[in-house]
Amino acid sequence: MTARDLALLAVVLALLLAWPLASPSIITRGEAREALVVQDLVQGGDWVLPRRLGDLASKPPLFHWIGAAGARVLGLSDATVRLPSALAAWVMAAATFALGARIGGRFVGWLAVGVLLAMVGFWRSALEARVDMVFAAAVTVSLAGFWDWHETGGRRARAVCWLAAAAAALAKGPVGFALPGLVVAATLLVNRDRARARALWSWSLAAIALGIVGLWYAAAVARGGQEFIAIQLMRENVDRLVGRGEFAERGTRGRLVWALITRLAPWSAIVPVAAVQWWRGRREVAAGRFLHAWWLVVLGLFTLAVGQRIVYLLPLYPAIAVLVARELAPWFGSRAAEAMLVLALADVAVLGGVQVARVVEWRSSPWPEFIRTFRRTVPADAVVSATLGVAEDARLVLAWRLGRRLPRTSFDCRGYYLRPVPSRVDARSTQILAATPGVVLVKCAT
């Protein structure tokens, strides 16, 4: 991939993401949760084990480190806490181009980028302050590095494979090593290539990659002790996988398969065609094995987990994009300009649809009006507490939007409180200042 290609891709994504990164405002629990962790770091929190409102973060800190670094330079805002996802989206697109170009040439590389940017899930994750895009981008770079090494034997590509897997682990935990490792293992197993497996191993690279992640985990355990083990190791990994605790009743085993078929349409319909072409030997066989192993391993691994989210499919998007690009390239033949124009229009349309949906969601939410009323009626120096019945989702959103800690407390009618709906408090003792279907802001009557 040339510097010109990288620069062009950076400019395109910067222009497309400039407005959606800042608007609409953060009003969801998932984004507010990560934004508060970034805020904690900017305000002098622990960079080894950051927290939000005093509670331990549920994911490793790579996303938050990037966000806090950006906020130190550009100021803390919705846009800067979403910036890590936007940067990771560019990294994923660049790695997808490099992989497509390696497999089928520069035209296939650009087609793959066009297909990737025509996926709704790509834009949703690129615009959200969540760890998923950073994780998926690191996985993509790791696997693109592996394939480059597989084809060229380059030492730099092998190093990229190892180090990007370490970055994925620092973004989302042990699965950052497991996911690329399983894809690589499946590819080499299908190819029956033990020699390649031995050549990929490097004691020095393993020591560096595992050492970087291991040092952080050791420091995190030293700082957080049993709390860290219970939250980041057990709950977010073991409990989510086996369906224990809060994940006991979540999802169905076929949820991600159906999501792959529907959410990636129409591209998902081309994947069986690509499989048939590969099986008949009409496409480069080794590359086909790798790409099909990639998306099947991602789908299979996360389908096994009881705690499932649709965004877990994000790491397989690049594999699907390259598979589709390989099928589209012969159809367009010499009409490269027309192909790229069609895909560019599709990309803009998909992004536009995602942004419209985000704006509609924001306008239909009760939070914007509630927050405006709060700011008009509550003095800046007033203490506001959240009673024990207030949902954590509401507390996180309001804490970020209002810039207040909103400590948990029992109700003793001595100031301003956020209370759940319905509330058992005697209405005669309080004045309701603002309300949503789930939370009310009250002031004790004097």
Side-chain angles (χ1 to χ4, degrees):
M1 188 173 197
T2 66
R4 183 179 179 182
D5 292 323
L6 285 170
L8 177 59
L9 187 56
V11 170
V12 169
L13 286 179
L15 291 174
L16 291 174
L17 294 175
W19 172 50
L21 280 181
S23 179
S25 303
I26 290 175
I27 55 167
T28 62
R29 174 185 183 273
E31 287 199 277
R33 180 182 59 191
E34 309 306 339
L36 288 168
V37 179
V38 173
Q39 177 180 273
D40 176 73
L41 292 180
V42 172
Q43 294 177 349
D46 187 349
W47 281 68
V48 172
L49 206 58
R51 294 177 176 270
R52 57 174 179 273
L53 304 180
D55 297 328
L56 188 66
S58 57
K59 294 292 189 294
L62 181 59
F63 174 95
H64 312 113
W65 288 343
I66 300 170
R72 287 281 184 89
V73 176
L74 302 172
L76 187 63
S77 66
D78 289 352
T80 53
V81 298
R82 287 167 171 162
L83 187 60
S85 294
L87 293 174
W90 174 77
V91 171
M92 176 186 276
T96 300
F97 174 87
L99 179 64
R102 168 62 63 188
I103 289 175
R106 191 165 180 265
F107 180 47
V108 169
W110 278 115
L111 280 178
V113 171
V115 172
L116 179 68
L117 270 58
M119 296 178 179
V120 171
F122 173 86
W123 290 116
R124 291 291 304 193
S125 293
L127 297 171
E128 291 183 344
R130 304 290 292 267
V131 304
D132 301 286
M133 182 58 86
V134 174
F135 168 71
V139 170
T140 303
V141 172
S142 179
L143 291 173
F146 160 73
W147 191 250
D148 192 28
W149 168 83
H150 184 277
E151 296 297 282
T152 66
R155 297 176 62 184
R156 182 178 299 178
R158 185 176 65 166
V160 167
C161 175
W162 279 93
L163 296 178
L170 284 175
K172 207 165 186 177
V175 71
F177 280 124
L179 198 55
L182 288 171
V183 174
V184 169
T187 301
L188 296 177
L189 181 63
V190 171
N191 288 332
R192 299 178 182 178
D193 199 345
R194 294 183 179 179
R196 278 289 189 185
R198 289 192 295 269
L200 182 62
W201 178 262
S202 166
W203 286 105
S204 59
L205 288 174
I208 294 171
L210 295 173
I212 291 171
V213 177
L215 283 174
W216 177 77
Y217 270 99
V221 170
R223 297 282 183 90
Q226 187 59 41
E227 181 187 18
F228 171 78
I229 294 172
I231 292 176
Q232 286 211 17
L233 291 180
M234 299 303 296
R235 190 186 74 185
E236 291 297 321
N237 292 283
V238 178
D239 292 356
R240 189 181 289 274
L241 177 63
V242 303
R244 190 168 61 190
E246 65 183 277
F247 305 106
E249 302 298 328
R250 292 200 178 182
T252 61
R253 296 294 185 182
R255 181 186 184 194
L256 293 184
V257 175
W258 180 245
L260 175 64
I261 296 171
T262 57
R263 299 290 182 95
L264 270 69
W267 314 122
S268 54
I270 302 178
V271 173
V273 177
V276 170
Q277 297 284 49
W278 161 68
W279 183 263
R280 292 178 175 177
R282 295 177 183 174
R283 299 285 181 269
E284 203 275 315
V285 175
R289 288 172 178 169
F290 167 59
L291 294 171
H292 285 293
W294 182 338
W295 74 265
L296 285 169
V297 165
V298 174
L299 179 63
L301 178 63
F302 288 121
T303 296
L304 290 175
V306 175
Q308 298 178 3
R309 294 172 54 223
I310 302 303
V311 76
Y312 289 173
L313 295 176
L314 188 60
L316 63 74
Y317 284 17
I320 299 294
V322 176
L323 282 169
V324 171
R326 291 208 308 169
E327 296 307 310
L328 292 180
W331 295 354
F332 288 111
S334 61
R335 296 173 297 171
E338 292 90 334
M340 296 312 303
L341 177 60
V342 170
L343 279 175
L345 292 174
D347 297 341
V348 173
V350 171
L351 173 58
V354 168
Q355 183 63 2
V356 168
R358 295 171 77 230
V359 171
V360 169
E361 179 183 350
W362 182 82
R363 289 183 175 178
S364 62
S365 170
W367 290 126
E369 181 59 31
F370 184 92
I371 291 165
R372 284 192 291 268
T373 303
F374 185 106
R375 288 172 173 161
R376 286 196 307 265
T377 57
V378 179
D381 58 350
V383 175
V384 183
S385 303
T387 60
L388 301 179
V390 173
E392 186 65 7
D393 293 14
R395 180 171 174 252
L396 292 173
V397 170
L398 291 173
W400 169 249
R401 292 256 54 91
L402 299 171
R404 294 171 178 262
R405 292 189 63 83
L406 303 179
R408 293 278 191 186
T409 184
S410 58
F411 185 79
D412 59 6
C413 205
R414 294 183 181 179
Y416 295 88
Y417 288 86
L418 295 171
R419 291 198 52 79
V421 177
S423 172
R424 296 181 179 178
V425 175
D426 185 348
R428 292 172 298 177
S429 66
T430 61
Q431 176 187 0
I432 297 178
L433 304 177
T436 72
V439 179
V440 294
L441 171 68
V442 301
K443 179 185 179 183
C444 287
T446 57

